[in-house]
Amino acid sequence: MPACTRGPAVTQLPSRARHGPLSYAFAAVGVMTSLALAVATLIGLPPVQPDPAAPVGAEQAPHSRAAPANPSMPGFDPKQAALVAAEDTRIFTLARGNRAGTPLHTQAVNGGLPTLILPRRPIPYDADALVAAGAVLRQPDGGLLLVHSVLVAAGAQLSLNTPNSTLRMASGPGGNASLVSFKGSMNIGGGPSAPMTVTSWDPAKNAQDTDPTDGRPYIRAIGGRMDLHDLNASDLGFWSGRTGGIAWTGSATQPATGSARQVKVSGNQYGIFAARTAGLLINGAEVKGSAMDGVAVHRGADGTQLWRVTSLANARNGIAVTQGAHNTSLNEVTTTSNARNGIYLDGTPPANGPNPSGAAATRSAGFTVDGSSTQANSEHGILVNNADRVTLSNNMISSNRDGIVVRGMTQGVALEQNHISSPGGFAVAVRDGSKDAVVDKNVISDALTAVQVDNAVAKITGNEVDGMTVHGVSVIGTGSGSSITDNRLAGRGPSSIDVNRLNFGGVVDISGNDESNWVVDRDDARYLASFVRKHPL
């Protein structure tokens, strides 16, 4: 028995009157079945699938594991990968070839649409300038059809502010139009209650292009600044983040920056993508139906702020902040019905040591999620992986497979004043080497176990727990140094506080908890069968 210290507790035993001989018979059958299954496993028969109540082990990172079945989730496509490489070559070749004082001109492109190059000048270019250059054709319905790609050169400005209008970007076998700034600036949008619409357009089909396999139009800032406002964008992008639909990416010498305000994005490859950015602000956005992540904040992004962003029904994560992004804040965001996690915060270092690109070998740090809601996502409501200094506060987490999962070598993760429920799963799980986690003053209801600490160290204090069906708090393995204090634990199951699987000699401070409303149910046949199957012996 592991060593621990506990304060006084009142344990309410179940009534024996409710359990007759039949209950014990079922329990015996469960025990014998479990023993038979164990023997079958030892001699090589297929193993028993884990019971839903069993502790979930360390999952693979969401970007390396197979996603739930989703026909829109792309696999590897060498054709699209080659198209991305061709786009990089086109952009950087044209940018390097642009000379100061060169007039606006169109450059032919082998195998693709011509590119209109906008050189630096004192005043911004606008829609009329693109029409005059032949890059845009006015349509009978008043819309605009972009038939050439546009490259905004260093120091140049493009301002497309056309309320209640539609910009259709040509997309088809002959090539795909794009709007790209290279150390220039772009301002694109409509007006209040009069948004501008931007979409891909296949002139041969007279319809939007919903098939990205041969490429698709996209909007991208490389360095410089891009501001989007009052904009509805749909069916853009292909394959990579930088060609994924709407993207801010840094150049070799400067990060990109800018904002997106009052935008709606649907059906893109990535809804919104950011990498090597500084101070990017997304304030008021709805992103849905992306083939990958709804919002992806990636390597080198620093100081990104997301306010009032809704991300739903995307084929991966609602919002993913991944390797190499720092100091990211999410406020009043909503993530719903995504195929993986509602919010994924991954601080895994981009590199494990010296590397050709000079990528950092330190974990990412400085993340906040406050006043947000995440529900009905197929995996976790919020997943924190190998990230430091993370604060999750005042959030509503419900109806996900698991509520909040913290895993890996994290330090300084705090879960404070959240409302969490996860019927059929764990409300909170701290796992796989996490240190100094704090789970404080949360309201946790309707889950198998309110807080599981599995080979990690956490301080669990002041939480209101109700409706658990296995444990209130469980500390497993190398959890010595954890504390469970001043919590109110209500529910029914084997124990309100479980430290029976703590490593030998481990110490957990257990004091001041109210366990008076926990019913210890040791006669449940299903529990006995499950316990024997999972027992170390």
Side-chain angles (χ1 to χ4, degrees):
M1 177 65 69
C4 61
T5 59
R6 298 192 58 159
V10 178
T11 302
Q12 195 172 31
L13 296 176
S15 170
R16 289 280 181 181
R18 296 191 302 112
H19 302 281
L22 185 60
S23 169
Y24 296 101
F26 277 125
V29 170
V31 171
M32 295 302 293
T33 300
S34 297
L35 292 174
L37 291 171
V39 172
T41 300
L42 288 174
I43 65 175
L45 295 181
V48 177
Q49 292 299 315
D51 188 277
V56 178
E59 307 94 325
Q60 294 175 318
H63 292 284
S64 64
R65 63 184 290 183
N70 189 318
S72 67
M73 183 72 177
F76 179 70
D77 184 347
K79 179 180 178 181
Q80 289 191 67
L83 289 171
V84 172
E87 281 294 284
D88 289 343
T89 299
R90 175 184 68 88
I91 292 167
F92 289 104
T93 298
L94 295 176
R96 283 195 300 264
N98 184 59
R99 297 288 183 267
T102 302
L104 175 152
H105 63 284
T106 300
Q107 180 72 46
V109 175
N110 290 333
L113 298 178
T115 299
L116 174 65
I117 301 174
L118 306 180
R120 181 173 186 169
R121 72 178 191 183
I123 62 173
Y125 297 91
D126 58 13
D128 289 338
L130 302 188
V131 170
V136 167
L137 304 178
R138 295 195 183 276
Q139 301 295 286
D141 64 357
L144 304 171
L145 177 63
L146 182 65
V147 294
H148 295 172
S149 290
V150 174
L151 177 62
V152 183
Q157 307 166 68
L158 174 62
S159 180
L160 295 178
N161 290 293
T162 54
N164 279 329
S165 69
T166 298
L167 175 66
R168 301 180 178 96
M169 303 177 70
S171 181
N176 307 287
S178 62
L179 287 171
V180 177
S181 65
F182 186 88
K183 301 182 182 180
S185 67
M186 293 195 294
N187 187 298
I188 303 172
S193 303
M196 177 184 180
T197 297
V198 178
T199 187
S200 61
W201 194 256
D202 186 341
K205 297 179 180 179
N206 200 36
Q208 292 161 320
D209 186 356
T210 58
D211 179 9
T213 56
D214 60 348
R216 218 164 43 164
Y218 63 94
I219 300 171
R220 178 187 178 190
I222 304 173
R225 183 179 185 93
M226 180 168 69
D227 294 290
L228 309 178
H229 60 94
D230 305 295
L231 182 74
N232 297 338
S234 66
D235 299 300
L236 299 174
F238 69 99
W239 194 243
S240 70
R242 60 186 180 274
T243 60
I246 295 174
W248 284 261
T249 62
S251 69
T253 58
Q254 65 174 263
T257 190
S259 64
R261 302 173 186 268
Q262 305 306 316
V263 301
K264 294 184 178 181
V265 180
S266 64
N268 283 9
Q269 182 78 1
Y270 285 85
I272 294 174
F273 180 84
R276 199 163 186 272
T277 58
L280 177 65
L281 171 65
I282 302 174
N283 188 352
E286 179 185 274
V287 183
K288 63 181 181 181
S290 307
M292 303 294 276
D293 300 317
V295 179
V297 181
H298 196 50
R299 185 175 300 185
D302 190 26
T304 306
Q305 298 181 63
L306 277 63
W307 287 82
R308 293 180 288 278
V309 174
T310 297
S311 187
L312 68 155
N314 300 288
R316 289 212 307 195
N317 304 289
I319 298 172
V321 183
T322 57
Q323 297 169 308
H326 293 267
N327 303 316
T328 306
S329 64
L330 284 63
N331 296 276
E332 300 176 32
V333 306
T334 300
T335 59
T336 305
S337 301
N338 297 287
R340 290 190 178 176
N341 306 289
I343 297 171
Y344 176 42
L345 306 176
D346 182 15
T348 303
N352 293 324
N355 58 89
S357 67
T362 56
R363 291 193 300 270
S364 300
F367 304 97
T368 63
V369 182
D370 182 74
S372 298
S373 171
T374 177
Q375 60 183 347
N377 300 287
S378 296
E379 295 188 8
H380 312 304
I382 300 177
L383 173 58
V384 179
N385 184 60
N386 286 319
D388 293 343
R389 301 200 317 272
V390 178
T391 300
L392 312 176
S393 58
N394 303 299
N395 302 297
M396 299 288 293
I397 317 294
S398 63
S399 303
N400 308 284
R401 190 187 74 186
D402 294 307
I404 298 176
V405 174
V406 178
R407 70 182 188 197
M409 302 303 292
T410 66
Q411 289 189 328
V413 177
L415 284 63
E416 301 169 339
Q417 301 184 46
N418 302 286
H419 285 70
I420 311 166
S421 66
S422 183
F426 295 99
V428 175
V430 183
R431 299 173 176 155
D432 308 328
S434 181
K435 304 279 186 189
D436 303 323
V438 175
V439 183
D440 183 48
K441 296 183 178 64
N442 301 280
V443 176
I444 303 174
S445 62
D446 300 323
L448 298 179
T449 297
V451 183
Q452 181 202 62
V453 180
D454 187 350
N455 290 301
V457 177
K459 178 181 180 181
I460 303 159
T461 180
N463 300 283
E464 294 285 328
V465 173
D466 194 11
M468 299 303 107
T469 57
V470 178
H471 302 295
V473 179
S474 178
V475 183
I476 303 167
T478 56
S480 184
S482 297
S483 62
I484 307 168
T485 60
D486 301 322
N487 303 281
R488 189 186 69 82
L489 306 174
R492 183 187 187 109
S495 62
S496 57
I497 297 176
D498 166 37
V499 292
N500 292 315
R501 290 170 287 173
L502 190 66
N503 283 358
F504 183 78
V507 177
V508 172
D509 175 20
I510 303 175
S511 61
N513 300 289
D514 179 358
E515 301 168 75
S516 60
N517 290 311
W518 189 275
V519 177
V520 177
D521 191 348
R522 297 193 181 279
D523 289 334
D524 184 80
R526 180 179 176 186
Y527 164 68
L528 286 174
S530 176
F531 177 80
V532 171
R533 184 167 71 245
K534 299 166 196 166
H535 196 278
L537 297 179

